[in-house]
Amino acid sequence: MPIPHVELHAHLNGCVRTSTLLELLPRGEEVAGDQNHIGRRPARTLSDCFLFFSRVHSCVKTFEHIRRIALEAIQDFAASGAVHVELRTTPKNLNDTCNKRAYVRAVLEGMQEGMQAASQRLWCRLVLSVNRADTLDEALDTVQIADEFRRSTRGFVVGVELSGNPLIAGAWERLKPAFDEARQRDLRVTLHCAEVDEQVTSGEAIDMVRWRPDRLGHCVRTDTAFEAQLLMSQIPVEICLSSNMTTEAAEKLPNGDVASDHIFRLLNDAQSPVCICTDDPSLFDVTGPSEMQLAQRSFSLDPKHDFARLLRNAAAAAFFAPDDDDDAAAMRAELERRL
Ligand code: 5GP
């Protein structure tokens, strides 16, 4: 039986298949190269990753493109054994006919088609991303759109998150009122946290924990005070090991494993609710099961008991609307069946 997977941290445009991206490249550019930003590569720096995203964003121009990317993302997760997939993406005005709301509709159409075509039972939810480069008005607009779709999709759009270039200073402080608003409106919230040292030294990371989002992403750069606060909070953390190694937020050993001083070790040893996610499966060339195996090798996990616990952690932390208990229970029962 393949390892099942519960994906809680995957950026839509980090899931775009390389073959699709090559098709979407403007004519001529596929020969002119630029493969270094789109093809699979063993090493990318943080800024390479953001070049990859600007490359993707420059190719993804229509409703149909985004619908296809969402569909293929769900197909790929389904093929690698996913039980539940939360995708996240920033709504974009793509062109005159595809504004931010149409963009979200395109993602939903693609996700729902992928879900219905899956050969095993599959649950999906969508989280809308606020980018650290956004203005507060843009962030509030994303919260408004998430709230509208939460109602019209009866909880399929389930929350909002904060991501984008972690080197943009002061973003959390500036955008926090949008997340206060999201919380007021019963949207679930997850925040990228402590991806670079500056987020820890500036006090941003600890402030995020104190704000008590429903989940946190990464938390990979730490100091003693942050670690203590994080452990005490028991907030579920979405761990993305390959992403952390590639962007050099975590040490990669010569054999390809993650150095065992990664924050995962501390949280896992303390039985904190950590889970393993992919972040950007195409960019980092990973799947849910391959990330679980990397965790197994790096931290000497037991493939039966430890995997089951990590997957249950993820299932327990998955975002469902407050009145969506039946779906949440059905997803968790399906996971148990596949464990
Ligand atoms: P999109 O929102 O366009 O579907 O997904 C791509 C975006 O996700 C990127 O432009 C970036 O803002 C965000 N993203 C993807 N991976 C990471 C990551 O590892 N860290 C951070 N902070 N943001 C990321």
Side-chain angles (χ1 to χ4, degrees):
M1 275 272 273
I3 312 165
H5 182 56
V6 174
E7 178 61 58
L8 300 187
H9 186 135
H11 298 268
L12 178 65
N13 282 309
C15 297
V16 55
R17 291 177 185 164
T18 304
S19 54
T20 300
L21 201 48
L22 285 169
E23 256 183 64
L24 299 183
L25 275 176
R27 221 162 250 266
E29 289 197 18
E30 64 276 29
V31 271
D34 219 10
Q35 295 255 349
N36 51 335
H37 294 312
I38 58 170
R40 292 172 175 177
R41 275 206 306 148
R44 290 176 192 269
T45 62
L46 185 63
S47 55
D48 272 350
C49 293
F50 283 93
L51 278 172
F52 169 89
F53 289 122
S54 38
R55 201 78 200 94
V56 175
H57 293 152
S58 71
C59 300
V60 177
K61 293 207 166 83
T62 66
F63 183 97
E64 181 46 33
H65 290 167
I66 208 71
R67 192 196 67 82
R68 171 179 173 182
I69 290 168
L71 167 64
E72 292 176 351
I74 297 301
Q75 285 173 336
D76 292 345
F77 277 114
S80 62
V83 178
H84 181 84
V85 181
E86 259 178 42
L87 291 182
R88 52 183 71 191
T89 191
T90 302
K92 299 167 187 67
N93 290 313
L94 291 185
N95 58 42
D96 290 348
T97 56
C98 190
N99 63 15
K100 289 182 181 182
R101 285 171 176 77
Y103 178 101
V104 175
R105 277 196 296 279
V107 178
L108 291 170
E109 271 189 27
M111 288 180 77
Q112 275 154 359
E113 190 181 333
M115 216 169 91
Q116 278 151 17
S119 59
Q120 299 208 67
R121 296 191 77 194
L122 176 64
W123 283 259
C124 295
R125 291 294 181 272
L126 179 63
V127 169
L128 299 188
S129 307
V130 171
N131 191 293
R132 289 177 72 90
D134 284 349
T135 62
L136 178 57
D137 280 348
E138 286 168 332
L140 285 164
D141 193 35
T142 301
V143 170
Q144 169 66 25
I145 295 170
D147 194 22
E148 286 170 22
F149 276 96
R150 178 178 65 86
R151 291 160 199 272
S152 65
T153 61
R154 283 187 274 142
F156 193 100
V157 174
V158 72
V160 288
E161 66 111 22
L162 178 64
S163 56
N165 191 339
L167 292 169
I168 298 175
W172 167 239
E173 200 49 42
R174 186 166 45 79
L175 300 171
K176 205 190 298 183
F179 290 92
D180 290 333
E181 182 65 26
R183 177 178 273 167
Q184 282 285 102
R185 296 183 185 210
D186 249 344
L187 288 160
R188 297 283 165 267
V189 175
T190 175
L191 305 173
H192 279 57
C193 178
E195 291 181 271
V196 293
D197 288 336
E198 289 81 343
Q199 291 176 299
V200 180
T201 52
S202 66
E204 176 182 288
I206 213 160
D207 195 56
M208 282 179 165
V209 177
R210 290 196 179 119
W211 189 83
R212 292 209 58 83
D214 299 290
R215 296 197 314 250
L216 289 162
H218 296 291
C219 298
V220 62
R221 306 301 305 173
T222 63
D223 63 12
T224 319
F226 175 64
E227 279 179 7
Q229 191 80 31
L230 186 60
L231 273 174
M232 205 169 60
S233 76
Q234 290 289 301
I235 295 172
V237 179
E238 307 145 4
I239 297 283
C240 309
L241 296 172
S242 291
S243 164
N244 296 160
M245 288 195 295
T246 309
T247 61
E248 295 175 352
E251 189 192 343
K252 182 176 187 168
L253 299 178
N255 66 0
D257 294 352
V258 194
S260 65
D261 61 353
H262 189 282
I263 188 68
F264 174 85
R265 161 75 75 205
L266 181 79
L267 296 170
N268 193 51
D269 286 355
Q271 308 270 306
S272 265
V274 266
C275 58
I276 299 288
C277 303
T278 58
D279 204 2
D280 300 294
S282 296
L283 178 59
F284 302 122
D285 196 14
V286 298
T287 64
S290 76
E291 285 297 273
M292 292 291 274
Q293 279 154 355
L294 172 62
Q296 183 197 347
R297 289 195 309 272
S298 305
F299 305 105
S300 310
L301 301 183
D302 176 298
K304 191 163 169 60
H305 296 106
D306 290 326
F307 278 8
R309 187 168 43 76
L310 290 170
L311 290 165
R312 287 184 184 122
N313 285 348
F319 288 168
F320 284 93
D323 57 358
D324 213 357
D325 286 348
D326 290 351
D327 243 14
M331 183 274 278
R332 287 168 197 147
E334 175 68 10
L335 174 64
E336 291 302 326
R337 197 184 68 75
R338 288 205 229 161
L339 279 175

